[in-house]
Amino acid sequence: MPDDVFRDHTGVHPQRQAGLYSVGVSVLNGRLSGQTLLALADLVETHAGGELRTTVNQNFLIPGVPEASLTVVLDWLKTLGLHVEANNFWRGTVACTGTEFCKLAITETKGFARWLAEEMDARLPGFDQQLKLHITGCPNNCGQAWIGDIGLEGKKIKHNGKLVDAWYFALGGALGQHAGFARQINYRCRSEEVPDALEHLFRAYLDQREDGQNLRAWFAAHSNEELREILEAVPIPA
């Protein structure tokens, strides 16, 4: 059982079979068009083993790529706008279907997740900690918020007399040797406030972490009250 190992299979990795590689591709929100899927089918049939595998992180894996075909495969994926080497916000974000197609959902998730991942990468370029940012649009938890480093569960709150999308935060979920559910810390905010809250949290982590301390361990070293105070900090100036 892994010890705090984040394995999303993204990137190029040698297989046990000599001369063959797997190529893991990060797909934010797991959404691909029909045209892209057809192009991928042509790609794997022509330059790989004819197989395409999906992952629990809403990404996909192309196994059985001969070493001689790696450059062609990587160039083809780049042409399709797909990321083999993605930033940690892009590769670590998972979202359920949300209100767009689910009658049980409370909040919109897919567009929010894309906006949030892009916003966080713009604010914290080069963020060096692998993370699992799981977004779910209702308590049914199809986005698996309870096992993310950061889990966001969609709710509605009143703002200026209107119901708006909001998010309850849970922190510190994990799999592997330190498996455990994320902790509810009694903090919620509107969608547009989430980037500020996460920026406060990530900057505090980067400033305070010890050598080799990952997000799970850093969260575990802080009380709910301490984490809530960080999230509730004065808004960051524009």
Side-chain angles (χ1 to χ4, degrees), residues 44-103:
V44 298
E45 288 179 355
T46 305
H47 298 288
E51 186 177 357
L52 193 70
R53 302 179 186 177
T54 57
T55 77
V56 295
N57 294 318
Q58 299 180 335
N59 299 321
F60 69 84
L61 185 71
I62 303 174
V65 180
E67 185 172 4
S69 298
L70 274 176
T71 299
V72 174
V73 170
L74 294 175
D75 287 345
W76 197 327
L77 291 170
K78 185 176 181 180
T79 300
L80 294 173
L82 297 171
H83 297 262
V84 175
E85 297 296 337
N87 66 69
N88 284 322
F89 294 110
W90 185 287
R91 67 192 287 181
T93 298
V94 171
C96 73
T97 298
T99 53
E100 186 177 6
F101 296 114
C102 178
K103 66 180 181 180

Side-chain angles (χ1 to χ4, degrees), residues 51-214:
E51 186 177 357
L52 193 70
R53 302 179 186 177
T54 57
T55 77
V56 295
N57 294 318
Q58 299 180 335
N59 299 321
F60 69 84
L61 185 71
I62 303 174
V65 180
E67 185 172 4
S69 298
L70 274 176
T71 299
V72 174
V73 170
L74 294 175
D75 287 345
W76 197 327
L77 291 170
K78 185 176 181 180
T79 300
L80 294 173
L82 297 171
H83 297 262
V84 175
E85 297 296 337
N87 66 69
N88 284 322
F89 294 110
W90 185 287
R91 67 192 287 181
T93 298
V94 171
C96 73
T97 298
T99 53
E100 186 177 6
F101 296 114
C102 178
K103 66 180 181 180
L104 300 177
I106 299 171
T107 54
E108 192 281 327
T109 56
K110 292 293 191 181
F112 171 74
R114 175 175 289 275
W115 168 74
L116 182 59
E118 292 175 348
E119 181 71 17
M120 296 315 302
D121 184 52
R123 293 180 181 219
L124 295 166
F127 184 72
D128 63 0
Q129 173 63 41
Q130 292 178 325
L131 79 156
K132 301 186 294 294
L133 175 57
H134 287 212
I135 298 169
T136 190
C138 79
N140 289 291
N141 206 27
C142 295
Q144 301 180 331
W146 292 109
I147 59 171
D149 293 303
I150 297 170
L152 301 178
E153 182 182 318
K155 303 288 184 181
K156 293 288 189 185
I157 61 173
K158 271 194 174 182
H159 179 68
N160 293 333
K162 296 181 179 180
L163 286 175
V164 298
D165 285 0
W167 303 91
Y168 281 24
F169 282 59
L171 303 178
L175 299 174
Q177 290 187 17
H178 303 282
F181 291 126
R183 293 151 47 196
Q184 284 188 315
I185 61 170
N186 297 320
Y187 177 77
R188 67 180 184 181
C189 66
R190 292 177 287 121
S191 292
E192 56 266 36
E193 297 171 323
V194 173
D196 277 353
L198 289 182
E199 184 174 356
H200 290 136
L201 189 67
F202 290 141
R203 289 195 184 279
Y205 162 72
L206 293 173
D207 290 342
Q208 300 172 15
R209 65 181 174 180
E210 299 177 0
D211 289 344
Q213 188 177 38
N214 62 15

